[in-house]
Amino acid sequence: MGKSTLVNRLCQSREAIVHDQPGVTRDRTYQDAFWGNREFKVVDTGGLVFDDDSEFLPEIRAQADLAMAEAALALIIVDGQEGITAADEEIAQWLRTRDCKTLLAVNKCESPEQGLAMAAEFWRLGLGQPFPVSAIHGAGTGDLLDRVIDLLPPKENEDENDEPIQLAIVGRPNVGKSSLLNSICGESRAIVSPVRGTTRDTIDTNLVRHGQYWKLIDTAGIRRRRSVNYGPEFFGINRSFKAIERSDVCTLVIDATDGVTEQDQRLAGRIEDQGRACVVVINKWDAIEKDSHTMVSMEKEFRSKLYFLDWAKMLFASALTGQRVDSIFALASLAVEQHRRRVSTSVVNEVLNEAISWRSPPTTRGGRQGRLYYGTQVASRPPSFTLFVNDPKLFGDTYRRYIERQIREGLGFEGTPMKLFWRGKQQRDAEKDLARQQTNNLY
Ligand code: GDP
């Protein structure tokens, strides 16, 4: 059915696609998944085999039964290209006797036009609304996940909001990371020293701001280790990279008196590559001689050097005076909210249709015109979209950037990077062939 592919897709795992072989017992596997701001576990069973006299059959059923007993929701996956099979009917009948909410995913609905029609047939199973999806392309999985979230029981302690947001404070040595941390915490918990190259260890700090728990990942002390003879300007960029990886949102601290350096650009590039939300903090604002134009012109100059973070808010602050330091949390909060946000397929397509109406996709000299059929959000953290087109080669960088800008204009997503995947028909056909081949190999 493509069950493992769909599980991997829902859990965002980058593992190779695993193929189940009917009749082979596998233990249940558990994987973490999240959508929007909800986390849940996906339990992958060995599959239900009803029309098989495999000697493992009782074990496979027992595994599925166990998984159902502890689950809040059972997701049934059927093959849309094959249509309803006798096995589907048997499974449906079996499910209707179980005391568990169910959701029906009709896989292999690669074509947006035919997908709905293909899925509609499955109403007959009596398991409620069938959701057309393509595990391989990701189409429809966003809408399916929306429904999953709707059907899950309410979060315990929802109003306590007790899952901390991981916030990494990253930047070159001496930009004022420890000073910011001190200003935030209101105490000298990190030792600041004007001596360049001071050694300290990294410590995470837990605190509450704006009714939200935060864990601050402090990389302030990473510039040098005692026993290693690094130069005083040694910059532990790999530790910064690790902090970025652990974070939900990064504050990239830049020294206003130095401007944006190459090292700042490397950190910024990493934040965008890793798909993390970000707030750019221009520190030491007190030390700048300024008139009423300074902030605007400085922001313009800094942004031109940090163009790959053009979606991030920039804050001019001073750890020394405390000016705007508290705003870091307000901006980080908004960025995290956007990072986790999801929008329905219909809204995405409203924006795309609008964008195409204003500016048609490019045409080659040979007269071939790019066609953008539709788009769908396939993941959050960061928000990721697949755009289905006739041929990605017809969409140059300029048009791709235009579409990204239109999505941002229409849907917001300020403070978070976005990923767009352009998928062509040829690619889809090749994938379909591969999937078909792999399925055939199983039998
Ligand atoms: P870190 O290496 O990024 O943790 O930087 P520190 O917090 O140790 O700060 C390096 C130096 O910059 C120290 O001398 C601080 O006093 C100074 N500094 C930090 N923040 C500010 C600020 O907002 N304004 C001014 N004028 N100096 C600052």
Side-chain angles (χ1 to χ4, degrees), residues 1 38 65 82 180 188-189 271 277 315 324 331 351 387 404 416:
M1 301 302 141
R38 196 68 203 266
D65 243 341
E82 211 167 298
L180 272 173
S188 290
R189 70 148 286 296
I271 291 169
L315 187 71
R324 298 198 194 94
L331 294 183
V351 171
L387 304 177
E404 173 159 354
T416 171

Side-chain angles (χ1 to χ4, degrees), residues 89-144:
E89 278 174 357
E90 253 181 283
I91 291 169
Q93 196 182 3
W94 180 76
L95 281 170
R96 287 196 300 263
T97 65
R98 289 294 184 282
D99 186 23
C100 185
K101 282 184 199 162
T102 54
L103 192 55
L104 179 62
V106 182
N107 194 26
K108 306 193 187 173
C109 291
E110 269 82 29
S111 149
E113 304 90 40
Q114 290 160 27
L116 280 172
M118 270 157 76
E121 183 197 342
F122 288 86
W123 275 102
R124 198 152 59 74
L125 289 179
L127 296 174
Q129 184 190 350
F131 279 80
V133 298
S134 162
I136 281 197
H137 298 156
T141 48
D143 295 334
L144 179 71

Side-chain angles (χ1 to χ4, degrees), residues 171-177 196-197 220 223 232-236 258 263:
R172 289 183 297 115
N174 278 306
V175 292
K177 296 181 297 297
R196 289 189 169 232
R223 70 188 79 137
E233 291 302 324
F234 174 77
F235 176 28
D258 288 349
Q263 287 177 325

